């Protein structure tokens, strides 16, 4: 029987959507499979065995459709596919046809899942593909050259004479460096950003302005329409982690800055983090980026995770990791309180030992022989927990106040950044903050102590304010369920 590639029902749905909405039926069905294959090849890790299963509701495709096997010479790309996969997987796939078909199927299905999780139907599929398949290989997609001209005209409308001296394309915004003729105009510019956005027809999205170190030059960040955004794919996390400063103890990468460089920091020095943003703004995705960064670098001997997720969904996949305390994700406030109280005890024990050793903190060489793991507490939705029980605040505050020295860190996320969820005591002890998009300036102020987050673009667009550093704008890396599964598989494989 001729070899076939099998898909499942969800795969078929995404093929349909790509055809209907992405490609507007201009190509046959199997070409979506080829694109998916290409997409999967750009992911560094190998697709895993779970993609071998043949489930109901799917479809089957012959190799003739996918690789052109058996067709005329010019249309048969099978040897090319075999060569590509042989090199990729270091196996002779000319000799082993079953293995060849297996890898083909895994790649195609993984690519389809990537489409499902990282392409948004409202976005231009060609643009998406261009970036996903060619990103980092070619220069970014060019934009209309006269945008700078339009900006200069719009500035003139609010009474500012300026020239564009440089221009950068970020994944979602274009940054223009403009030289003002008159320094007094900077006040006019800061006050006139809404008018400027209106003059440029930017809809509800705002413009950000920041000073630069060059005299009379300001940086203006202009949002592009969503069809022109580029997703930051999860596999870039892996390469960013390799560039982390050697003295960072817990490097975490969240996304990229305007000029496309990975943005990371050392969670150990943060030392606690609050993440706030409205629903759908990208909090969970950011938590995944943080968790994947951590489990990529640390084995369970050096890192423990206490995971609390009242909604019981987002963090569930991590429960099987040996890093996870109690090997489960806590969803109940009473369980969470009990676990946090145990952590407070751990903290006190560690503090007592540190004091007896004359050591300042867990990094002090005098404490090295204790072999303590760092412990990161991740709360997926703080507001839900506080609603369940106010009593959770007490151990959280105690940990926030003192846990740094003993290597315990809090990462708290919430959809409701208000005074009840993020009380004064928590606020003053959690100095590092991340704001994703919020509805109102007041919410931005609760998270960051400054406005701005109400002008963000959503979907992982964030303002990051780390202790002692200026606020930076970051476009978050897109982590799909598939990336999470892969990150967990990889972490387990490394531990074995
Ligand atoms: N960095 C990103 N790049 C592209 N799309 C993103 C990014 N982050 C989030 N998204 C999109 O936004 C959706 C919602 O993200 P996420 O689930 O993280 O939001 P959330 O803030 O946790 O929402 P909720 O409060 O409802 O849990 C994602 O499914 C994804 O489609
Ligand atoms: Mg969420």
């Amino acid at each position: 029987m001729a070899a076939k590639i099998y898909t499942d029902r969800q795969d078929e749905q995404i093929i349909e959507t790509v055809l209907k909405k992405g490609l507007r039926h201009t190509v046959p069905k199997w070409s979506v499979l080829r694109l998916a294959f290409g997409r999967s090849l750009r992911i560094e890790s190998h697709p895993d065995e779970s993609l071998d299963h043949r489930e109901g509701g799917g479809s089957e495709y012959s190799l003739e459709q996918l690789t052109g096997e058996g067709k005329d010479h010019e249309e048969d790309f099978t040897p090319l596919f075999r060569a590509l996969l042989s090199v990729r997987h270091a196996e002779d796939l000319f000799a082993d046809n079953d293995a060849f078909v297996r890898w083909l199927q895994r790649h195609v299905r993984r690519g389809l899942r990537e489409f499902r999780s990282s392409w948004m139907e409202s976005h231009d599929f060609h643009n998406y593909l261009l970036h996903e398949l060619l990103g980092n290989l070619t220069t970014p997609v060019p934009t209309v050259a006269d945008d700078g001209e339009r900006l200069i005209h719009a500035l003139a409308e609010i009474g500012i004479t300026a020239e564009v001296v440089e221009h950068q394309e970020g994944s979602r915004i274009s940054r223009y460096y403009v030289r003002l003729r008159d320094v007094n105009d900077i006040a006019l510019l800061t006050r006139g950003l809404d008018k400027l956005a209106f003059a440029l027809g930017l809809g509800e999205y705002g413009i950000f302005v920041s000073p630069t170190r060059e005299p009379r030059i300001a940086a203006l960040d202009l949002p592009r329409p969503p069809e022109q955004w580029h997703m930051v794919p999860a596999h870039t996390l892996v390469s960013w982690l390799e560039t982390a400063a050697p003295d960072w103890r817990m490097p975490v990468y969240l996304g990229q800055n305007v000029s496309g460089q990975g943005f990371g920091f050392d969670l150990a020095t943060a030392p606690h983090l609050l993440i706030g943003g409205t629903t759908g703004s990208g909090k969970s995705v950011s938590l995944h980026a943080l968790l994947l960064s951590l489990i990529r670098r640390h084995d369970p001997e050096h890192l423990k995770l206490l995971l609390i997720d009242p909604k019981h969904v987002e963090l569930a996949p991590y429960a099987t990791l040996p890093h996870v305390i109690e090997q489960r994700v806590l969803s109940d406030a009473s369980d969470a309180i009990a676990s946090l109280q145990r952590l407070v005890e751990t903290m006190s024990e560690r503090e007592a030992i540190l004091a007896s050793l004359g050591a300042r903190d867990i990094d002090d060489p005098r404490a090295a022989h204790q072999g303590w793991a760092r412990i990161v507490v991740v709360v997926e939705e703080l507001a839900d927990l506080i609603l369940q029980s106010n009593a959770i605040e007490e151990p959280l505050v105690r940990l926030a106040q003192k846990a740094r020295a003993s290597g315990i860190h809090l990462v708290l996320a919430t959809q409701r950044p208000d005074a009840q969820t993020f009380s004064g005591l928590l606020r003053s002890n959690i100095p590092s903050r991340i704001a994703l998009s919020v509805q109102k300036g007041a919410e931005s102020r609760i998270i960051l102590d400054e406005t701005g987050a109400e002008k963000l673009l959503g979907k992982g667009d964030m303002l990051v304010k780390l202790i002692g550093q200026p606020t930076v704008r970051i476009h978050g890396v897109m982590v799909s369920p598939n990336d999470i599964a892969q990150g967990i598989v990889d972490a387990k494989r490394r531990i074995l």
Side-chain angles (χ1 to χ4, degrees), residues 254-307:
L254 296 177
Q256 66 181 28
N257 64 14
V258 182
S259 46
Q261 284 151 334
F263 172 84
F265 60 94
D266 184 3
L267 182 61
T269 60
H272 308 297
L273 200 60
L274 177 93
I275 303 179
T278 186
T279 174
S281 58
K283 297 179 297 297
S284 301
V285 171
S286 309
L287 285 181
H288 293 309
L290 182 136
L291 284 166
L292 292 185
S293 299
L294 290 176
I295 61 171
R296 183 147 189 110
R297 290 283 288 245
H298 300 278
D299 59 36
E301 246 178 85
H302 301 102
L303 171 76
K304 295 276 178 237
L305 297 169
L306 179 64
L307 303 181

Short mmCIF file of all heavy atoms in Angstrom, two decimals, residues 254-307:
data_model
loop_
_atom_site.label_atom_id
_atom_site.label_comp_id
_atom_site.label_asym_id
_atom_site.label_seq_id
_atom_site.Cartn_x
_atom_site.Cartn_y
_atom_site.Cartn_z
N LEU A 254 11.37 37.63 27.46
CA LEU A 254 9.94 37.82 27.25
C LEU A 254 9.57 38.20 25.83
O LEU A 254 8.47 37.95 25.38
CB LEU A 254 9.43 38.95 28.17
CG LEU A 254 9.53 38.69 29.66
CD1 LEU A 254 9.06 39.91 30.42
CD2 LEU A 254 8.69 37.48 30.04
N GLY A 255 10.49 38.82 25.12
CA GLY A 255 10.15 39.28 23.78
C GLY A 255 11.29 40.11 23.23
O GLY A 255 12.42 39.99 23.70
N GLN A 256 10.95 40.98 22.28
CA GLN A 256 12.02 41.78 21.69
C GLN A 256 11.70 43.26 21.76
O GLN A 256 10.55 43.66 21.83
CB GLN A 256 12.26 41.35 20.25
CG GLN A 256 11.10 41.62 19.32
CD GLN A 256 11.39 41.14 17.91
OE1 GLN A 256 12.15 40.19 17.70
NE2 GLN A 256 10.79 41.78 16.94
N ASN A 257 12.76 44.05 21.75
CA ASN A 257 12.55 45.49 21.81
C ASN A 257 12.30 46.03 20.41
O ASN A 257 12.21 45.26 19.44
CB ASN A 257 13.73 46.18 22.50
CG ASN A 257 15.02 46.03 21.73
OD1 ASN A 257 15.01 45.63 20.57
ND2 ASN A 257 16.12 46.33 22.36
N VAL A 258 12.19 47.33 20.30
CA VAL A 258 11.82 47.92 19.02
C VAL A 258 12.80 47.56 17.92
O VAL A 258 12.43 47.33 16.77
CB VAL A 258 11.72 49.45 19.15
CG1 VAL A 258 11.29 50.06 17.84
CG2 VAL A 258 10.77 49.81 20.25
N SER A 259 14.08 47.48 18.27
CA SER A 259 15.03 47.19 17.20
C SER A 259 15.24 45.69 17.00
O SER A 259 16.15 45.28 16.29
CB SER A 259 16.35 47.92 17.46
OG SER A 259 16.74 47.76 18.78
N GLY A 260 14.39 44.87 17.61
CA GLY A 260 14.42 43.44 17.31
C GLY A 260 15.36 42.63 18.17
O GLY A 260 15.55 41.44 17.94
N GLN A 261 15.98 43.27 19.18
CA GLN A 261 16.86 42.50 20.05
C GLN A 261 16.06 41.83 21.16
O GLN A 261 15.10 42.43 21.67
CB GLN A 261 17.90 43.40 20.70
CG GLN A 261 18.99 43.80 19.76
CD GLN A 261 19.55 45.15 20.13
OE1 GLN A 261 18.88 45.98 20.75
NE2 GLN A 261 20.79 45.36 19.75
N GLY A 262 16.48 40.62 21.53
CA GLY A 262 15.79 39.93 22.61
C GLY A 262 15.90 40.73 23.89
O GLY A 262 16.93 41.33 24.18
N PHE A 263 14.81 40.75 24.64
CA PHE A 263 14.84 41.47 25.91
C PHE A 263 14.73 40.48 27.05
O PHE A 263 13.76 39.73 27.15
CB PHE A 263 13.69 42.48 25.99
CG PHE A 263 13.57 43.09 27.36
CD1 PHE A 263 14.34 44.18 27.71
CD2 PHE A 263 12.72 42.54 28.32
CE1 PHE A 263 14.27 44.72 28.98
CE2 PHE A 263 12.64 43.08 29.59
CZ PHE A 263 13.42 44.17 29.93
N GLY A 264 15.74 40.45 27.89
CA GLY A 264 15.71 39.53 29.02
C GLY A 264 16.21 40.19 30.27
O GLY A 264 16.70 41.32 30.24
N PHE A 265 16.06 39.50 31.38
CA PHE A 265 16.57 40.03 32.65
C PHE A 265 16.81 38.86 33.59
O PHE A 265 16.48 37.71 33.26
CB PHE A 265 15.58 41.04 33.25
CG PHE A 265 14.22 40.47 33.55
CD1 PHE A 265 13.90 39.98 34.80
CD2 PHE A 265 13.25 40.41 32.55
CE1 PHE A 265 12.65 39.44 35.07
CE2 PHE A 265 11.99 39.88 32.81
CZ PHE A 265 11.69 39.40 34.07
N ASP A 266 17.40 39.17 34.73
CA ASP A 266 17.68 38.14 35.71
C ASP A 266 16.58 38.16 36.78
O ASP A 266 16.49 39.10 37.56
CB ASP A 266 19.04 38.42 36.35
CG ASP A 266 19.44 37.32 37.33
OD1 ASP A 266 18.69 36.33 37.46
OD2 ASP A 266 20.51 37.46 37.97
N LEU A 267 15.74 37.14 36.77
CA LEU A 267 14.63 37.11 37.72
C LEU A 267 15.13 37.16 39.17
O LEU A 267 14.45 37.66 40.06
CB LEU A 267 13.76 35.86 37.48
CG LEU A 267 12.53 35.70 38.37
CD1 LEU A 267 11.55 36.86 38.18
CD2 LEU A 267 11.81 34.39 38.08
N ALA A 268 16.36 36.66 39.38
CA ALA A 268 16.91 36.66 40.74
C ALA A 268 17.06 38.08 41.29
O ALA A 268 16.95 38.29 42.49
CB ALA A 268 18.25 35.94 40.74
N THR A 269 17.31 39.03 40.41
CA THR A 269 17.48 40.40 40.91
C THR A 269 16.19 41.22 40.81
O THR A 269 16.14 42.35 41.28
CB THR A 269 18.60 41.15 40.16
OG1 THR A 269 18.23 41.19 38.78
CG2 THR A 269 19.92 40.46 40.31
N ALA A 270 15.17 40.66 40.15
CA ALA A 270 13.93 41.44 39.96
C ALA A 270 13.36 41.97 41.28
O ALA A 270 12.98 43.14 41.31
CB ALA A 270 12.90 40.65 39.15
N PRO A 271 13.32 41.30 42.41
CA PRO A 271 13.37 39.86 42.60
C PRO A 271 11.96 39.27 42.57
O PRO A 271 11.79 38.08 42.59
CB PRO A 271 13.97 39.72 44.00
CG PRO A 271 13.48 40.94 44.73
CD PRO A 271 13.29 42.02 43.71
N HIS A 272 10.95 40.16 42.56
CA HIS A 272 9.56 39.71 42.40
C HIS A 272 8.95 40.51 41.27
O HIS A 272 9.42 41.60 40.96
CB HIS A 272 8.75 39.96 43.68
CG HIS A 272 9.39 39.43 44.92
ND1 HIS A 272 9.63 38.10 45.11
CD2 HIS A 272 9.86 40.07 46.01
CE1 HIS A 272 10.22 37.94 46.29
NE2 HIS A 272 10.38 39.12 46.86
N LEU A 273 7.87 39.95 40.71
CA LEU A 273 7.33 40.53 39.48
C LEU A 273 5.80 40.57 39.53
O LEU A 273 5.18 39.58 39.92
CB LEU A 273 7.77 39.62 38.35
CG LEU A 273 7.80 40.09 36.93
CD1 LEU A 273 8.75 41.29 36.80
CD2 LEU A 273 8.32 38.96 36.04
N LEU A 274 5.23 41.69 39.13
CA LEU A 274 3.78 41.74 38.96
C LEU A 274 3.49 41.94 37.48
O LEU A 274 4.09 42.78 36.83
CB LEU A 274 3.18 42.92 39.72
CG LEU A 274 1.67 43.00 39.47
CD1 LEU A 274 0.90 42.25 40.53
CD2 LEU A 274 1.18 44.41 39.34
N ILE A 275 2.55 41.15 36.96
CA ILE A 275 2.16 41.27 35.55
C ILE A 275 0.68 41.60 35.51
O ILE A 275 -0.14 40.84 36.00
CB ILE A 275 2.41 39.94 34.80
CG1 ILE A 275 3.88 39.53 34.94
CG2 ILE A 275 2.02 40.07 33.34
CD1 ILE A 275 4.23 38.21 34.26
N GLY A 276 0.34 42.75 34.95
CA GLY A 276 -1.07 43.13 34.89
C GLY A 276 -1.47 43.45 33.48
O GLY A 276 -0.67 43.91 32.67
N GLY A 277 -2.74 43.19 33.17
CA GLY A 277 -3.23 43.52 31.83
C GLY A 277 -4.64 43.00 31.69
O GLY A 277 -5.03 42.05 32.37
N THR A 278 -5.37 43.61 30.78
CA THR A 278 -6.77 43.23 30.58
C THR A 278 -6.86 41.83 29.98
O THR A 278 -5.86 41.25 29.59
CB THR A 278 -7.42 44.28 29.66
OG1 THR A 278 -8.79 44.01 29.58
CG2 THR A 278 -6.81 44.26 28.29
N THR A 279 -8.08 41.31 29.88
CA THR A 279 -8.22 39.98 29.33
C THR A 279 -7.77 39.94 27.86
O THR A 279 -8.04 40.86 27.10
CB THR A 279 -9.67 39.46 29.52
OG1 THR A 279 -9.79 38.23 28.84
CG2 THR A 279 -10.69 40.43 28.95
N GLY A 280 -7.03 38.90 27.51
CA GLY A 280 -6.54 38.77 26.14
C GLY A 280 -5.32 39.62 25.82
O GLY A 280 -4.88 39.67 24.68
N SER A 281 -4.75 40.25 26.83
CA SER A 281 -3.62 41.14 26.55
C SER A 281 -2.30 40.39 26.41
O SER A 281 -1.33 40.93 25.89
CB SER A 281 -3.50 42.19 27.66
OG SER A 281 -3.34 41.55 28.90
N GLY A 282 -2.27 39.14 26.89
CA GLY A 282 -1.05 38.35 26.73
C GLY A 282 -0.33 38.02 28.03
O GLY A 282 0.86 37.68 28.01
N LYS A 283 -1.04 38.06 29.15
CA LYS A 283 -0.39 37.73 30.43
C LYS A 283 0.04 36.28 30.47
O LYS A 283 1.17 35.97 30.83
CB LYS A 283 -1.35 37.97 31.61
CG LYS A 283 -1.79 39.39 31.79
CD LYS A 283 -2.75 39.50 32.95
CE LYS A 283 -4.03 38.72 32.74
NZ LYS A 283 -4.85 39.20 31.61
N SER A 284 -0.90 35.39 30.11
CA SER A 284 -0.57 33.97 30.20
C SER A 284 0.58 33.63 29.27
O SER A 284 1.50 32.91 29.63
CB SER A 284 -1.78 33.11 29.86
OG SER A 284 -2.83 33.41 30.75
N VAL A 285 0.52 34.19 28.05
CA VAL A 285 1.60 33.91 27.10
C VAL A 285 2.94 34.39 27.69
O VAL A 285 3.96 33.70 27.59
CB VAL A 285 1.29 34.57 25.73
CG1 VAL A 285 2.49 34.48 24.81
CG2 VAL A 285 0.09 33.91 25.08
N SER A 286 2.94 35.54 28.35
CA SER A 286 4.19 36.02 28.96
C SER A 286 4.65 35.10 30.09
O SER A 286 5.85 34.85 30.24
CB SER A 286 4.01 37.42 29.54
OG SER A 286 3.45 38.27 28.59
N LEU A 287 3.68 34.59 30.86
CA LEU A 287 4.07 33.65 31.92
C LEU A 287 4.70 32.40 31.31
O LEU A 287 5.66 31.85 31.84
CB LEU A 287 2.85 33.23 32.75
CG LEU A 287 2.29 34.24 33.74
CD1 LEU A 287 1.09 33.65 34.48
CD2 LEU A 287 3.35 34.66 34.76
N HIS A 288 4.15 31.96 30.18
CA HIS A 288 4.73 30.78 29.52
C HIS A 288 6.16 31.07 29.07
O HIS A 288 7.04 30.23 29.22
CB HIS A 288 3.88 30.35 28.33
CG HIS A 288 2.53 29.82 28.72
ND1 HIS A 288 2.38 28.85 29.68
CD2 HIS A 288 1.28 30.14 28.32
CE1 HIS A 288 1.08 28.59 29.84
NE2 HIS A 288 0.40 29.36 29.03
N ALA A 289 6.39 32.25 28.53
CA ALA A 289 7.75 32.60 28.09
C ALA A 289 8.69 32.56 29.29
O ALA A 289 9.82 32.06 29.21
CB ALA A 289 7.76 33.99 27.45
N LEU A 290 8.20 33.07 30.41
CA LEU A 290 9.01 33.09 31.62
C LEU A 290 9.29 31.65 32.10
O LEU A 290 10.44 31.28 32.38
CB LEU A 290 8.25 33.88 32.69
CG LEU A 290 8.88 34.09 34.03
CD1 LEU A 290 8.67 35.54 34.46
CD2 LEU A 290 8.28 33.21 35.11
N LEU A 291 8.24 30.84 32.14
CA LEU A 291 8.42 29.47 32.62
C LEU A 291 9.31 28.66 31.68
O LEU A 291 10.18 27.90 32.12
CB LEU A 291 7.06 28.78 32.78
CG LEU A 291 6.28 29.22 34.03
CD1 LEU A 291 4.83 28.78 33.96
CD2 LEU A 291 6.94 28.65 35.29
N LEU A 292 9.10 28.83 30.37
CA LEU A 292 9.94 28.07 29.42
C LEU A 292 11.39 28.50 29.54
O LEU A 292 12.30 27.68 29.44
CB LEU A 292 9.45 28.24 27.99
CG LEU A 292 8.09 27.60 27.64
CD1 LEU A 292 7.80 27.76 26.15
CD2 LEU A 292 8.06 26.12 28.01
N SER A 293 11.62 29.81 29.77
CA SER A 293 13.00 30.27 29.98
C SER A 293 13.60 29.56 31.19
O SER A 293 14.74 29.08 31.15
CB SER A 293 13.05 31.77 30.26
OG SER A 293 12.54 32.54 29.21
N LEU A 294 12.83 29.50 32.26
CA LEU A 294 13.36 28.92 33.50
C LEU A 294 13.66 27.43 33.35
O LEU A 294 14.72 26.95 33.75
CB LEU A 294 12.38 29.13 34.65
CG LEU A 294 12.21 30.57 35.14
CD1 LEU A 294 11.14 30.64 36.22
CD2 LEU A 294 13.54 31.12 35.68
N ILE A 295 12.70 26.68 32.77
CA ILE A 295 12.93 25.23 32.75
C ILE A 295 13.97 24.83 31.70
O ILE A 295 14.51 23.74 31.75
CB ILE A 295 11.63 24.41 32.53
CG1 ILE A 295 10.97 24.75 31.20
CG2 ILE A 295 10.65 24.63 33.69
CD1 ILE A 295 9.81 23.80 30.86
N ARG A 296 14.24 25.74 30.78
CA ARG A 296 15.28 25.43 29.81
C ARG A 296 16.66 25.49 30.47
O ARG A 296 17.59 24.79 30.08
CB ARG A 296 15.20 26.42 28.65
CG ARG A 296 16.19 26.10 27.59
CD ARG A 296 15.79 26.42 26.21
NE ARG A 296 16.81 25.83 25.36
CZ ARG A 296 16.63 24.79 24.58
NH1 ARG A 296 15.46 24.24 24.49
NH2 ARG A 296 17.63 24.31 23.87
N ARG A 297 16.79 26.36 31.46
CA ARG A 297 18.11 26.57 32.04
C ARG A 297 18.36 25.84 33.34
O ARG A 297 19.49 25.72 33.78
CB ARG A 297 18.32 28.07 32.29
CG ARG A 297 18.47 28.87 31.02
CD ARG A 297 19.84 28.70 30.42
NE ARG A 297 20.85 29.38 31.19
CZ ARG A 297 21.56 30.41 30.75
NH1 ARG A 297 21.38 30.87 29.55
NH2 ARG A 297 22.46 30.96 31.52
N HIS A 298 17.31 25.40 34.01
CA HIS A 298 17.51 24.85 35.36
C HIS A 298 16.91 23.47 35.51
O HIS A 298 15.78 23.24 35.12
CB HIS A 298 16.86 25.76 36.39
CG HIS A 298 17.41 27.14 36.38
ND1 HIS A 298 18.57 27.48 37.03
CD2 HIS A 298 16.99 28.26 35.76
CE1 HIS A 298 18.82 28.76 36.81
NE2 HIS A 298 17.89 29.25 36.05
N ASP A 299 17.68 22.59 36.14
CA ASP A 299 17.10 21.28 36.45
C ASP A 299 16.42 21.38 37.82
O ASP A 299 16.60 22.36 38.54
CB ASP A 299 18.18 20.20 36.38
CG ASP A 299 19.30 20.47 37.34
OD1 ASP A 299 19.01 20.99 38.43
OD2 ASP A 299 20.46 20.20 37.01
N PRO A 300 15.63 20.35 38.14
CA PRO A 300 14.81 20.44 39.36
C PRO A 300 15.63 20.54 40.65
O PRO A 300 15.12 20.97 41.67
CB PRO A 300 13.99 19.15 39.36
CG PRO A 300 14.28 18.45 38.10
CD PRO A 300 15.37 19.14 37.37
N GLU A 301 16.89 20.18 40.57
CA GLU A 301 17.72 20.32 41.77
C GLU A 301 17.98 21.78 42.12
O GLU A 301 18.20 22.12 43.27
CB GLU A 301 19.08 19.69 41.47
CG GLU A 301 19.40 18.47 42.28
CD GLU A 301 20.74 17.95 41.81
OE1 GLU A 301 21.76 18.45 42.32
OE2 GLU A 301 20.74 17.10 40.91
N HIS A 302 17.98 22.62 41.10
CA HIS A 302 18.30 24.03 41.32
C HIS A 302 17.11 24.97 41.23
O HIS A 302 17.22 26.14 41.56
CB HIS A 302 19.36 24.48 40.30
CG HIS A 302 20.61 23.69 40.41
ND1 HIS A 302 20.92 22.69 39.53
CD2 HIS A 302 21.60 23.71 41.34
CE1 HIS A 302 22.06 22.13 39.90
NE2 HIS A 302 22.50 22.73 40.99
N LEU A 303 16.01 24.45 40.77
CA LEU A 303 14.83 25.30 40.63
C LEU A 303 13.57 24.53 40.98
O LEU A 303 13.33 23.43 40.48
CB LEU A 303 14.70 25.77 39.17
CG LEU A 303 13.39 26.49 38.83
CD1 LEU A 303 13.39 27.91 39.37
CD2 LEU A 303 13.15 26.49 37.33
N LYS A 304 12.78 25.12 41.86
CA LYS A 304 11.47 24.53 42.17
C LYS A 304 10.41 25.55 41.79
O LYS A 304 10.63 26.76 41.90
CB LYS A 304 11.36 24.25 43.67
CG LYS A 304 12.32 23.19 44.15
CD LYS A 304 11.74 21.80 43.91
CE LYS A 304 12.72 20.72 44.33
NZ LYS A 304 13.05 19.79 43.26
N LEU A 305 9.29 25.04 41.36
CA LEU A 305 8.20 25.92 40.97
C LEU A 305 6.97 25.63 41.83
O LEU A 305 6.59 24.47 41.99
CB LEU A 305 7.83 25.68 39.50
CG LEU A 305 8.90 25.97 38.46
CD1 LEU A 305 8.48 25.43 37.10
CD2 LEU A 305 9.16 27.47 38.37
N LEU A 306 6.37 26.69 42.35
CA LEU A 306 5.08 26.52 43.01
C LEU A 306 4.06 27.20 42.11
O LEU A 306 4.10 28.42 41.92
CB LEU A 306 5.08 27.18 44.40
CG LEU A 306 3.74 27.08 45.14
CD1 LEU A 306 3.39 25.62 45.43
CD2 LEU A 306 3.76 27.87 46.44
N LEU A 307 3.19 26.38 41.52
CA LEU A 307 2.29 26.91 40.50
C LEU A 307 0.87 27.02 41.05
O LEU A 307 0.31 26.04 41.55
CB LEU A 307 2.30 26.02 39.26
CG LEU A 307 3.68 25.82 38.61
CD1 LEU A 307 3.57 24.92 37.38
CD2 LEU A 307 4.31 27.16 38.24
#
